[in-house]
Structure formats: C-alpha cells, structure tokens
Amino acid sequence: MAVTKLASRPKKQRSVKDRVSEAEWKVRTDLAAAYHLATIYGMTDIILTHFSARVPGTEHFLLNAYGLMFDEVTASNLVKVDQEGNLIEDITGMGVNKAGFVIHGCIHGARTDALCVLHTHTRAGIAVAAMSEGILPLSQHSARIVDNVTYHDYEGIALDLDERKRLAADLGPTSRVMILRNHGLLTMGETVREAFDLMYYLDCACQIQIDALTAGPEQVLKMSEDADRKSTRLNSSHVALSRMPSS
C-alpha cells in the first residue's frame, strides 16, 4: 500500500513588529504616518521622493520601498538599510531608490542629530529652488525657517557618492532646512514630528512666495529685519514643542 507523505506546514513567520525593538517600531509608525500626511498635503511625486528615519541605537535607517506610492507605505514595509546601502530588512523585495540612499545616507551619516530626513519635489518647492534669491522673508511661514536655510547646487540626479561630501558641507553642522537648487526641498529633525513640521512650513512659504510674485517683484513687500527677528524668537518655542516625542 502506497503511503502519501503529507507536506509539513510552513512555520508562521514572526511579524516585523515582533522582530524589531519597541523603539524601532515607534519610529516606523511615526515615519509611515509622515508618508500618509505627505499624501494628504500634496507633497508626493508619485514614487520619486523619500522620507527616512534612523533606527535608534544603530547606524541603520528606514526608507520607502522603491515602487510604492506614499499611501501604500506602512510601518512594516519600510526598508531598513545600512550606511553602505546594504538591505537589512525588506519584506517587499523591492529595494530602495539609489538616489534616495545617496541623499538620506549622507545626512544621517553627517549629522548625529538627524533622526529623520524628509525630501520633496513639490511644484512650489522646485519653483523657489530655481530662483536665484531662494526663499524670501515674505510671511510668518517663511520667518519660521528663513534664517535656518542652507543651499546645495544641482549636480544632476543624485547617484554619485562623491556628491555626499559637498551636500554635507553645504548643510553644515546646524541647519535643519535645505533647498536643493533646481531640485527640491529637504528638512531634518530630532523627531519625525520636527522634520515634518519644518517641511510643512517650508513648503507653505514656497507656495506663498510663488503666489505673491505673480503680482510682480516690484509689488512684493519683504518683512522688516526687526519683524523677522521677533518672529524667529517666537519660533524657538515651536521648535521645542516639535521635538517632543509623539505619544
């Protein structure tokens, strides 16, 4: 009598949440939420921009899988990579965009205070990035970030690892807001909340600037230096609030 061998049941794989630390899972959920907020606020460019966050206590960081729309990103499907771009965790099998790794790996490597880095290609952001004067002190929104902005000249699609040295040098040791000339916007923070807060104000400031300039440059009224200084001082309390960890 023939005996049929029954196939053994595959072992149930532990979920990403069960495999990672509590601190990493918290960062994953915050970063995934930022991707969905970007969808709500119109900050996406199909699949071609990136938000990243450092895994606490490691040199690894999390990025979106290359090919997912922002509203498809979840805490579990974020890809974990190391500073050399090696995949540590990727349940999607899709990997990451090399340009995203070059930019985000650079910032995370250069700045120990960069827990989170956001990079966008919004229409208003690119328009201001193409202006010689960059961001102008035209509104309370711009006052939130104008004294903290640094600039990096466009060198083509960010695939050259050598560009990372120049990008880090242009960002400097303290700036948390950067305009990538002819390219887009970048913010960083000690929390995901802080990085997103800065990106929200930066993108709003760009939108306001584009709208104001439709009246003609001669009609645009810049804030006085005194008003700009007062607004900057008031913003310090806002910065402290945005650095508080989310509950």
Side-chain angles (χ1 to χ4, degrees), residues 94-113:
M94 302 169 77
V96 298
N97 185 321
K98 183 178 179 182
F101 161 72
V102 169
I103 293 172
H104 290 257
C106 165
I107 307 303
H108 285 295
R111 295 279 295 272
T112 58
D113 56 341

Side-chain angles (χ1 to χ4, degrees), residues 27-28 30-32 34-35 49-55 60-64 70 73 78-81 83 96 100-109 114-120 186-193 195-196:
V27 170
R28 281 177 173 270
D30 285 351
L31 186 60
Y35 275 99
T49 53
H50 321 279
F51 294 178
S52 66
R54 190 195 311 276
V55 176
H60 302 155
F61 61 95
L62 305 166
L63 273 174
N64 49 323
F70 274 29
V73 173
L78 286 161
V79 180
K80 188 192 306 186
V81 300
Q83 283 292 330
V96 298
F101 161 72
V102 169
I103 293 172
H104 290 257
C106 165
I107 307 303
H108 285 295
L115 176 101
C116 180
V117 180
L118 309 185
H119 171 46
T120 63
L186 185 145
T187 61
M188 54 156 284
E190 294 181 14
T191 63
V192 176
R193 178 191 294 189
F196 192 88

Side-chain angles (χ1 to χ4, degrees), residues 166-192:
R166 296 181 289 278
L167 180 59
D170 288 339
L171 179 65
T174 60
S175 173
R176 294 173 184 268
V177 179
M178 173 172 267
I179 292 180
L180 306 175
R181 299 280 192 187
N182 308 101
H183 183 175
L185 308 177
L186 185 145
T187 61
M188 54 156 284
E190 294 181 14
T191 63
V192 176

Side-chain angles (χ1 to χ4, degrees), residues 4-239:
T4 303
K5 184 178 180 180
L6 298 176
S8 60
R9 291 183 179 180
K11 292 182 179 180
K12 185 177 180 181
Q13 188 177 16
R14 295 171 66 202
S15 68
V16 173
K17 183 178 181 181
D18 291 335
R19 293 199 303 272
V20 303
S21 67
E22 183 177 343
E24 177 176 337
W25 185 250
K26 179 65 172 62
V27 170
R28 281 177 173 270
T29 57
D30 285 351
L31 186 60
Y35 275 99
H36 287 261
L37 283 172
T39 300
I40 292 170
Y41 285 105
M43 295 181 185
T44 72
D45 186 17
I46 312 298
I47 62 171
L48 296 178
T49 53
H50 321 279
F51 294 178
S52 66
R54 190 195 311 276
V55 176
T58 75
E59 293 301 314
H60 302 155
F61 61 95
L62 305 166
L63 273 174
N64 49 323
Y66 189 35
L68 292 183
M69 302 285 282
F70 274 29
D71 60 0
E72 296 178 304
V73 173
T74 67
S76 295
N77 67 29
L78 286 161
V79 180
K80 188 192 306 186
V81 300
D82 64 18
Q83 283 292 330
E84 285 70 49
N86 300 310
L87 298 179
I88 306 299
E89 176 95 46
D90 179 13
I91 67 170
T92 69
M94 302 169 77
V96 298
N97 185 321
K98 183 178 179 182
F101 161 72
V102 169
I103 293 172
H104 290 257
C106 165
I107 307 303
H108 285 295
R111 295 279 295 272
T112 58
D113 56 341
L115 176 101
C116 180
V117 180
L118 309 185
H119 171 46
T120 63
H121 295 163
T122 61
R123 182 174 177 176
I126 295 173
V128 171
M131 294 181 177
S132 58
E133 289 189 88
I135 195 75
L136 299 173
L138 303 182
S139 65
Q140 292 184 97
H141 289 73
S142 64
R144 172 82 170 81
I145 46 86
V146 71
D147 289 334
N148 195 29
V149 178
T150 50
Y151 295 85
H152 175 67
D153 288 340
Y154 188 58
E155 299 185 24
I157 297 175
L159 300 176
D160 184 359
L161 292 177
D162 286 342
E163 185 180 353
R164 302 209 298 185
K165 300 174 184 176
R166 296 181 289 278
L167 180 59
D170 288 339
L171 179 65
T174 60
S175 173
R176 294 173 184 268
V177 179
M178 173 172 267
I179 292 180
L180 306 175
R181 299 280 192 187
N182 308 101
H183 183 175
L185 308 177
L186 185 145
T187 61
M188 54 156 284
E190 294 181 14
T191 63
V192 176
R193 178 191 294 189
E194 181 185 10
F196 192 88
D197 187 66
L198 288 169
M199 181 59 76
Y200 172 81
Y201 279 94
L202 176 58
D203 197 70
C204 282
C206 290
Q207 293 177 45
I208 291 166
Q209 182 166 320
I210 297 301
D211 289 346
L213 287 173
T214 60
E218 68 283 352
Q219 298 296 321
V220 172
L221 179 64
K222 294 182 181 180
M223 296 174 67
S224 68
E225 290 185 6
D226 184 54
D228 188 28
R229 281 194 299 271
K230 289 179 181 178
S231 298
T232 301
R233 285 199 300 271
L234 289 173
N235 282 326
S236 61
S237 60
H238 196 152
V239 171

